[in-house]
Amino acid sequence: MTEEENRLLPAYLREVEGEPGRVYGTLSYNRRSKVWTVKGDPNVTEMCKRLFPGTAGSKRGEARFTAHARVIGDLRWLMLRFPLAVKESDRALWEQALAGARAYALRRERAAALPERAVPPQGSFLGELRPFQQEGLAFLLGHDRCLLADEMGLGKTVQALAYLAASGNLPALIIPPAHLTRNWLEETLRFLRVDGRVPRVHVVHGLKPYELPRADVYILHYLLLRGWKEILPRLGFRTLIFDEVQELRHSGTEKYSAASLAAEKCEHVIGLSGTPIYNRGGEIWNVVNILDYHFLGDWESFSREWCWGYGNAIVAKPELLGAYLRREGLMLRRVKQDVLSELPPKRRLVIEIDSDDKIYRELMKGAFAPLMQYRAEENAARRAILADAISQVERQATGIAKAPYVCAFVRTLLEGGERVLLMAHHHAVMDIYKKELQGYRPRFITGRENESQKEASYTAFMEEKTNLLCLSLRAASGLNLQSATCVVFGELDWSPAVHSQAEDRAHRIGQKDSLLCYYLVSPHGSDRAMQDALGLKISQFVGLMGDAQPEPEEQLFAESQAREHILALVDRLLSEQAEA
């Protein structure tokens, strides 16, 4: 250790010369429980239990210290007052643990001295970070195991990718919820560059392990973790990113066990979550335990000291726990109100989600009859009507096939406390939303309700009796819904004006937040063509999706794009039918 490093360390972790005089007991390591055990004079072990409640054991004259780098520092501090004889067979382990505690303390000291903001090297990241996101990047670079707990919509994905670009800690394994797998793939390819090239990204598929191809970034969603439990710790990932890490708030599952084993073997572990859970002690303890094992001690000591008693799952003072996690460098959290001055009044995010190909293909069989009529029809006007009918089949098939994934996304927003307007076009799609999201007491204004039912839904949302209002894209004109915090488009329309008007239901005078508008798109079906017609690109809006009302020629252009897509769709279906 250098003289400069020794100076930076807290006094109790600095190297000292000479042997201690009297020893007050022994120190040994329990490999099974991963604890350091002090056995000694009753006054020493009693002092341990008074100063460090988590050390209380069931035996008299014995105290146990969790083998976490932070706790090892506490134990070393105690040993300055009460020197202990380290068991000879555990001496090398103790020196290793002490070195780890010093490295941990040095990282914390250096992180405090780092610049408040950081930017990735030019050419490694194709994006521009806002000032608060630069601060988030500096935080990630300064801490090997941490939780970025920014509120939803503040760009946790972008900050995590900026970290990979700035640190170069590859290969990386990203573990998102299943419905966000495709979005992580698209965002990684969009933002990250490795040695000037597009990164090699492999999306892991199936529960049965196979030999993975060489890549810079691997993406494996939570539902597959249990199948890869034994394999992941051996693959040598340098960085592990858990998106929506609250997915791991329940222990005792194969998913949790697999995540724990993978994190234990990884050098850099980052959790992302807009909904860190403070009031449910067991849940936040489980999450933190994945990121940094026993950072909060074992469950017994955590629940006894932080919660309403031994084994209780409710944190007594959540604000104290949050302050402690921030102070120790484990967590960084910003909410929209903290950075509102850096945000535009309205933000549009395009997120690519999965869809059920099997359901889509089955529903597209409904295009068969009008397709046959189209082939036989010679009248141009009637052919146009039939082409529109075929297009409507495709739009509905697209909406239904991705509806469960839309619901999974909306569920995450609702659990994060957001107030959501969910937009769609087809009644069949709305019916799926109603079934999948029934636990959130959704209300509906879809054109099927009478005036009193419509008024009741409107009132329920505005009086916060529900946080979810499902609206038809074309049935909500004139409504003032400024209490919403985000708008989600589960289906698209050909007209830019329809989207702008739908957004304006929430973005009105009285809206004091930065409104988030999510456009959830599928790579299959009608969405891709509708994106092109709207000038809608992944993570950005250009062209027709400006805030100004579209000019008549722009509206005509969108309509012509729709017509071209419909004709191209008919030609493709005819070609596929001929090949069959």
Side-chain angles (χ1 to χ4, degrees):
M1 178 170 293
T2 67
E3 184 177 337
E4 174 65 15
E5 288 175 331
N6 206 41
R7 185 188 64 79
L8 283 173
L9 286 172
Y12 59 86
L13 281 174
R14 292 175 189 164
E15 292 181 339
V16 293
E17 296 181 358
E19 292 293 325
R22 179 187 172 187
V23 295
Y24 290 79
T26 61
L27 180 67
S28 61
Y29 185 64
N30 185 318
R31 289 162 175 76
R32 182 176 180 181
S33 301
K34 297 182 180 180
V35 295
W36 287 92
T37 303
V38 174
K39 294 183 179 180
D41 297 350
N43 68 304
V44 176
T45 54
E46 191 268 340
M47 179 71 74
C48 290
K49 295 171 184 177
R50 275 199 293 126
L51 292 176
F52 310 107
T55 65
S58 59
K59 297 181 180 178
R60 185 170 58 251
E62 180 179 302
R64 303 172 304 172
F65 286 78
T66 299
H68 184 278
R70 178 177 50 79
V71 178
I72 295 300
D74 294 338
L75 180 55
R76 172 61 187 271
W77 175 80
L78 179 80
M79 290 170 68
L80 292 179
R81 171 63 180 85
F82 299 106
L84 301 169
V86 181
K87 187 177 178 181
E88 190 61 36
S89 60
D90 294 330
R91 185 171 294 278
L93 276 174
W94 171 247
E95 292 299 328
Q96 182 180 343
L98 194 54
R102 286 171 174 151
Y104 177 86
L106 281 173
R107 283 197 304 271
R108 189 171 58 188
E109 293 299 319
R110 287 169 175 161
L114 284 174
E116 292 185 0
R117 295 176 182 172
V119 293
Q122 191 171 10
S124 65
F125 182 76
L126 304 186
E128 186 174 340
L129 300 179
R130 298 180 186 275
F132 76 87
Q133 293 171 332
Q134 295 174 4
E135 293 169 4
L137 174 57
F139 169 78
L140 295 177
L141 290 171
H143 301 86
D144 289 332
R145 292 174 173 268
C146 57
L147 171 63
L148 181 60
D150 286 348
E151 196 171 36
M152 290 194 72
L154 297 188
K156 294 185 293 295
T157 299
V158 169
Q159 291 175 75
L161 292 173
Y163 165 80
L164 294 180
S167 68
N169 290 327
L170 301 171
L173 173 64
I174 298 171
I175 301 179
H179 66 279
L180 292 178
T181 299
R182 191 175 297 277
N183 189 62
W184 270 99
L185 171 63
E186 294 292 338
E187 298 291 78
T188 302
L189 294 174
R190 169 177 160 75
F191 286 109
L192 189 62
R193 291 296 177 268
V194 179
D195 297 328
R197 60 171 170 79
V198 175
R200 296 166 298 185
V201 183
H202 178 72
V203 178
V204 180
H205 54 84
L207 285 167
K208 186 176 180 180
Y210 57 91
E211 185 174 350
L212 295 177
R214 190 173 181 181
D216 304 300
V217 176
Y218 299 84
I219 302 174
L220 178 149
H221 65 69
Y222 284 104
L223 298 179
L224 301 183
L225 267 176
R226 60 188 176 89
W228 290 78
K229 176 179 176 179
E230 305 299 329
I231 305 298
L232 293 179
R234 305 201 299 262
L235 294 180
F237 301 113
R238 294 191 64 195
T239 300
L240 178 54
I241 298 173
F242 292 103
D243 187 25
E244 303 296 348
V245 71
Q246 72 274 8
E247 289 271 340
L248 299 173
R249 63 187 181 271
H250 301 300
S251 63
T253 65
E254 285 294 296
K255 175 175 73 172
Y256 188 90
S257 177
S260 180
L261 290 173
E264 183 180 359
K265 294 296 183 181
C266 207
E267 187 178 353
H268 309 279
V269 182
I270 296 171
L272 307 176
S273 174
T275 54
I277 303 153
Y278 291 135
N279 63 328
R280 295 291 301 180
E283 295 178 353
I284 191 63
W285 183 86
N286 286 334
V287 168
V288 170
N289 226 34
I290 288 287
L291 301 177
D292 199 351
Y293 183 73
H294 274 194
F295 180 92
L296 291 172
D298 59 23
W299 167 243
E300 288 80 5
S301 59
F302 172 80
S303 61
R304 183 175 57 246
E305 299 305 319
W306 286 102
C307 303
W308 290 108
Y310 178 81
N312 189 286
I314 307 298
V315 174
K317 295 183 178 179
E319 67 283 356
L320 288 184
L321 178 57
Y324 174 69
L325 294 177
R326 288 190 292 270
R327 187 171 63 249
E328 289 293 315
L330 191 281
M331 183 184 76
L332 175 66
R333 176 167 173 79
R334 282 81 55 87
V335 299
K336 280 181 282 188
Q337 292 302 318
D338 296 334
V339 297
L340 204 54
S341 62
E342 298 180 36
L343 300 175
K346 181 164 60 177
R347 292 168 288 156
R348 296 185 177 109
L349 298 176
V350 185
I351 295 180
E352 193 161 291
I353 61 173
D354 277 318
S355 64
D356 192 319
D357 291 344
K358 183 177 180 182
I359 288 177
Y360 174 77
R361 290 193 299 270
E362 184 66 28
L363 292 172
M364 282 303 292
K365 291 178 181 178
F368 180 78
L371 192 61
M372 292 297 95
Q373 296 174 37
Y374 182 90
R375 294 184 66 177
E377 184 60 62
E378 296 182 358
N379 182 280
R382 284 196 288 268
R383 283 170 67 88
I385 293 172
L386 289 168
D388 283 339
I390 295 168
S391 175
Q392 285 300 321
V393 171
E394 186 196 34
R395 283 186 66 190
Q396 178 162 298
T398 302
I400 291 174
K402 69 176 181 177
Y405 299 92
V406 170
C407 292
F409 184 87
V410 170
R411 198 174 292 118
T412 301
L413 292 176
L414 293 168
E415 289 175 356
E418 300 286 353
R419 309 201 68 240
V420 181
L421 301 183
L422 177 54
M423 303 285 183
H425 177 67
H426 295 95
H427 292 318
V429 174
M430 286 290 192
D431 290 340
I432 297 173
Y433 294 167
K434 185 175 184 178
K435 179 180 178 182
E436 293 276 337
L437 298 168
Q438 60 181 339
Y440 299 92
R441 296 173 298 168
R443 293 301 187 102
F444 292 83
I445 299 177
T446 65
R448 290 189 286 189
E449 300 80 15
N450 59 38
E451 282 302 314
S452 62
Q453 291 170 327
K454 177 180 174 180
E455 180 64 27
S457 292
Y458 172 80
T459 301
F461 185 77
M462 294 303 291
E463 293 181 355
E464 300 189 11
K465 295 176 181 177
T466 179
N467 284 334
L468 176 59
L469 181 60
C470 301
L471 296 158
S472 171
L473 279 164
R474 294 175 179 259
S477 59
L479 291 177
N480 187 357
L481 297 162
Q482 74 273 15
S483 68
T485 60
C486 58
V487 180
V488 177
F489 290 91
E491 291 190 276
L492 301 181
D493 194 280
W494 286 109
S495 169
V498 168
H499 297 94
S500 294
Q501 289 165 6
E503 291 174 349
D504 287 344
R505 302 284 71 76
H507 189 247
R508 290 177 169 238
I509 296 172
Q511 171 60 263
K512 298 178 181 179
D513 206 346
S514 175
L515 183 69
L516 264 170
C517 302
Y518 292 100
Y519 286 74
L520 307 185
V521 299
S522 164
H524 308 299
S526 60
D527 277 359
R528 186 70 76 191
M530 296 178 89
Q531 280 180 260
D532 292 339
L534 294 167
L536 187 61
K537 307 299 180 186
I538 296 298
S539 288
Q540 62 179 342
F541 277 70
V542 294
L544 297 181
M545 289 307 299
D547 287 318
Q549 284 292 102
E551 297 294 330
E553 58 268 25
E554 291 176 330
Q555 187 68 32
L556 288 173
F557 174 73
E559 292 171 0
S560 69
Q561 289 283 92
R563 176 59 52 194
E564 289 178 14
H565 165 69
I566 292 170
L567 295 177
L569 168 67
V570 172
D571 289 341
R572 175 170 59 81
L573 292 176
L574 287 171
S575 176
E576 290 174 358
Q577 191 178 74
E579 292 175 1

